[in-house]
Amino acid sequence: MTESATAEGPSAPAAAPAVEVEGLTFRYPGADRDSLRGVDLRLERGDFTAVVGGNGSGKTTLCKTFNGLVPTYWSGTFEGSVRVLGRDTRGETVAALSHLVGYVYQDFGNQLVRPTVRDEVSFAPVNFGLADHRERTEEALELCGIGHLAGRFTWQLSGGQQHLVALASVMSLRPGVVVVDEPVAELDPARADAVYEALADLNARTGTTVVVVEHHAEYVARYARSVVLMADGAPVWHLPTRQALERAEELERHGIPAPQVVRAVRALAPDSPAPLTVDEAVRALRPVAPEPEPPAVGGVPPAERPEAEPVAELSGVRHGYREVGGGWSPVLDGLDLVLRDGERVALVGGNGAGKSTLLRLLTGLKVPREGTVRVGGTDTRTVRPSALADRVCYLYQRPEQMFLKDSVAEDVAMFPRGRGREDTDALVATVLERVGLSDLADRDGRLLSGGQQRRATLAVGLAMRPSLLLLDEPTSSLDTASREAVIAMLDTLADTIRCTVVATHDMHLVAEWAERVLVLDGGRLVADTTPARLFVAEELMAAVGLVAPQVTRLGARLGMSPPPLSVDGLLARLAPVAAGTDEERREHA
């Protein structure tokens, strides 16, 4: 039995709990071990619960038992019971359970079935014959901030916009339980906040029980009232959020390091309770903060860099698509850009800013409507994309699109073997070891967890040995341990890859890895700078929907200029003050 949440959440109602799991064990067909084993778990009505744990710990499989997909569609050996709002899922159809449990999947694109956004959001209430379907549709569109997209076709949307549509389509049914697998995956930070605010509002206003599968401890701290830690197919404990975050070392062992503000306060003010927000961390650290430093002034200066050899160049690039009605929808508008040898480039901006389109233009998979794209001096209009594959590799935003063979090893080997490399087997073994997937080499990549798929696609890219590596949201859906492994691998690529460009909403990745940041907004390049300079440009950050990492916001609130980009950077500047005498700390306070 796990420890149970008993505080900082709603009191247990007399009615049946939202979710009650007893003795649950499940094994997928052909698997050599149980994905879930002996699960006992109780989620009270009205709770906001975060399910955390490393990739492959069983989080998603557990949540799919709540709406009957396991074992109805994902069949296997199922023992024990799962009851939702008092009803045993084994005695209900998936259709019946959809009235009780709304589910937004990690591969959310597959649950969009209607042509336009409004059609999609209204589909479920119309299909169930609800008289107030129009009201529900408009409410859900407003909750998710996508009312302006109502008339757009879903296939025209960016990945982040599609995620919001999938969430709105679930919210339109107002189910008793809503499960969201990776709520902020592929969303820019401002929209990620909006999604969680919508979930929190739904939870508070209607009493809907919210369950999120999450790797971002910051969102867990800010919004969840209880936390379930999963490991090896079973809950380790189920605790109120603040108590869970006090177990920082245990969380870190399971691939979920505590939020940056928790790590900072534990190091500098260990007697203070674990902070759940930046505001709480500021209050805890104010006594050890130095005198405020003069703030940076001016706009966003460009990054300074040597004029290294160009790897790719874009000149006067305009690109977009024709809408079904015949209108023109621009995606990139008059883009001029040079990518140079040795650069680590982060490409950032809100959902729909044009990041993924820019990456596809660099591969030659698309050619611009106007302007020129050159890779290694070659105009992409003059050659087939396959001819550029030796120089540029693009890793898709949706990792499942990268798997064409029956095993991860075969997918990784496909390109070098097709190019006649004699050392292909040794190369495959090396890259799989580097991404930590040697034990899964014979597994079908399409059947791996989301985080495992991300690492497998990186292995595919490493095996191609390109001069220009393009990654679209490489850390999305990764637990923190896997995310840090990706950053470490990117750090070691300079010996084989001349330039790496990462399109990302992960500001921690930007802070810890990038040397140059390109900011897109409305298809235009609005800033070409460094992480430190970007994060202090508050007006620009707000305009393009970006939010600086917690530790950067904490440092700025404490008067540090420039603010730190990492917890280690913060500690290096504040630890000497914290280690001083009481009199010295009073002088600095």
Side-chain angles (χ1 to χ4, degrees):
M1 294 285 286
T2 63
E3 300 170 64
S4 298
T6 57
E8 291 191 22
S11 59
V19 178
E20 190 170 21
V21 182
E22 294 183 343
L24 174 62
T25 296
F26 179 75
R27 179 178 297 193
Y28 288 102
D32 56 5
R33 62 192 301 269
D34 295 331
S35 293
L36 298 173
R37 52 181 187 81
V39 177
D40 292 310
L41 181 66
R42 180 185 175 101
L43 304 181
E44 300 296 352
R45 296 192 188 208
D47 202 357
F48 194 128
T49 302
V51 182
V52 305
N55 293 123
S57 61
K59 305 183 299 295
T60 295
T61 300
L62 172 63
C63 289
K64 284 178 178 175
T65 68
F66 298 169
N67 67 348
L69 287 180
V70 171
T72 303
Y73 290 124
W74 278 273
S75 60
T77 304
F78 185 104
E79 298 177 0
S81 67
V82 179
R83 288 184 290 275
V84 177
L85 301 174
R87 293 162 67 173
D88 192 326
T89 61
R90 295 299 297 273
E92 305 286 345
T93 65
V94 171
L97 289 170
S98 68
H99 292 267
L100 307 179
V101 182
Y103 202 116
V104 179
Y105 301 98
Q106 193 171 347
D107 51 349
F108 52 85
N110 290 334
Q111 71 185 98
L112 304 181
V113 298
R114 300 293 295 159
T116 70
V117 171
R118 177 172 279 108
D119 289 340
E120 178 62 40
V121 176
S122 67
F123 177 71
V126 168
N127 196 43
F128 287 125
L130 301 178
D132 60 346
H133 61 86
R134 290 187 179 86
E135 176 187 340
R136 289 168 176 262
T137 298
E138 295 306 318
E139 175 189 84
L141 289 169
E142 181 65 25
L143 275 173
C144 294
I146 55 173
H148 64 293
L149 300 175
R152 295 277 296 277
F153 290 96
T154 56
W155 50 264
Q156 294 175 335
L157 305 179
S158 69
Q161 291 168 330
Q162 289 180 341
H163 199 168
L164 288 171
V165 174
L167 178 59
S169 68
V170 163
M171 288 185 170
S172 68
L173 279 181
R174 302 173 186 164
V177 179
V178 170
V179 180
V180 187
D181 198 342
E182 300 288 350
V184 304
E186 302 181 13
L187 292 183
D188 62 61
R191 283 187 173 87
D193 286 350
V195 166
Y196 263 100
E197 289 293 339
L199 290 171
D201 178 69
L202 185 74
N203 173 253
R205 184 162 51 83
T206 68
T208 301
T209 304
V210 176
V211 181
V212 296
V213 178
E214 187 57 88
H215 289 125
H216 296 79
E218 174 183 346
Y219 289 103
V220 173
R222 287 167 57 193
Y223 293 99
R225 289 199 292 276
S226 70
V227 181
V228 176
L229 173 63
M230 292 287 292
D232 298 323
V236 179
W237 40 250
H238 178 203
L239 293 171
T241 298
R242 199 181 297 274
Q243 290 183 26
L245 293 178
E246 293 287 359
R247 303 189 177 198
E249 291 82 4
E250 187 175 10
L251 286 169
E252 188 159 4
R253 288 198 302 271
H254 290 283
I256 309 293
Q260 290 180 323
V261 292
V262 173
R263 289 150 58 194
V265 168
R266 287 175 64 86
L268 297 171
D271 293 334
S272 298
L276 301 184
T277 65
V278 172
D279 286 343
E280 290 185 11
V282 169
R283 290 194 290 271
L285 296 183
R286 186 71 73 186
V288 301
E291 290 293 329
E293 303 171 29
V297 296
V300 186
E304 298 174 1
R305 63 183 68 84
E307 291 296 311
E309 181 181 352
V311 174
E313 301 171 83
L314 294 86
S315 178
V317 168
R318 294 188 72 246
H319 194 71
Y321 54 84
R322 291 288 179 193
E323 296 177 339
V324 173
W328 171 255
S329 180
V331 178
L332 297 175
D333 188 10
L335 194 65
D336 296 309
L337 177 64
V338 179
L339 302 173
R340 299 187 180 278
D341 203 348
E343 290 186 325
R344 300 177 177 185
V345 182
L347 184 61
V348 303
N351 293 115
K355 301 184 298 296
S356 297
T357 298
L358 173 56
L359 296 187
R360 291 189 182 97
L361 289 173
L362 287 166
T363 67
L365 292 171
K366 294 180 179 291
V367 294
R369 297 272 184 170
E370 297 179 17
T372 304
V373 178
R374 291 186 176 86
V375 176
T378 300
D379 187 333
T380 59
R381 293 182 188 278
T382 65
V383 296
R384 297 176 64 86
S386 58
L388 294 173
D390 286 314
R391 281 174 278 179
V392 57
C393 172
Y394 172 50
L395 302 185
Y396 292 92
Q397 188 173 7
R398 305 283 174 79
E400 64 273 12
Q401 294 177 299
M402 298 289 293
F403 303 117
L404 304 175
K405 299 292 187 178
D406 293 332
S407 72
V408 172
E410 290 178 6
D411 281 312
V412 175
M414 187 168 63
F415 184 86
R417 184 164 289 135
R419 292 297 193 270
R421 287 194 55 154
E422 295 182 357
D423 63 340
T424 293
D425 290 341
L427 175 63
V428 170
T430 298
V431 298
L432 287 177
E433 183 177 1
R434 288 183 70 179
V435 300
L437 290 179
S438 297
D439 292 341
L440 300 177
D442 296 327
R443 290 278 300 277
D444 189 324
R446 291 158 291 200
L447 301 180
L448 300 180
S449 71
Q452 291 166 339
Q453 286 183 342
R454 295 279 175 185
R455 286 187 279 152
T457 59
L458 187 58
V460 171
L462 292 175
M464 294 176 70
R465 301 284 179 101
S467 58
L468 176 61
L469 179 62
L470 311 172
L471 302 99
D472 205 345
E473 296 290 353
T475 59
S476 176
S477 303
L478 292 183
D479 60 40
T480 305
S482 298
R483 176 183 155 278
E484 290 178 349
V486 168
I487 294 174
M489 285 184 285
L490 291 175
D491 280 338
T492 65
L493 296 182
D495 55 339
T496 57
I497 296 174
R498 294 173 58 197
C499 179
T500 302
V501 181
V502 175
T504 186
H505 294 126
D506 184 347
M507 294 299 106
H508 298 285
L509 174 61
V510 174
E512 297 169 17
W513 172 81
E515 297 170 344
R516 179 184 181 189
V517 187
L518 305 174
V519 184
L520 286 179
D521 186 38
R524 293 181 177 274
L525 185 63
V526 296
D528 181 352
T529 186
T530 65
R533 288 169 171 167
L534 172 64
F535 292 149
V536 296
E538 295 182 4
E539 188 173 324
L540 173 64
M541 292 279 287
V544 298
L546 301 179
V547 178
Q550 269 192 334
V551 70
T552 302
R553 286 178 277 143
L554 173 60
R557 292 279 303 278
L558 293 174
M560 303 171 70
S561 181
L565 297 179
S566 66
V567 174
D568 287 343
L570 177 83
L571 298 182
R573 292 160 68 177
L574 292 187
V577 177
T581 65
D582 290 342
E583 182 177 350
E584 290 170 331
R585 286 196 290 271
R586 284 193 294 272
E587 291 176 356
H588 282 285

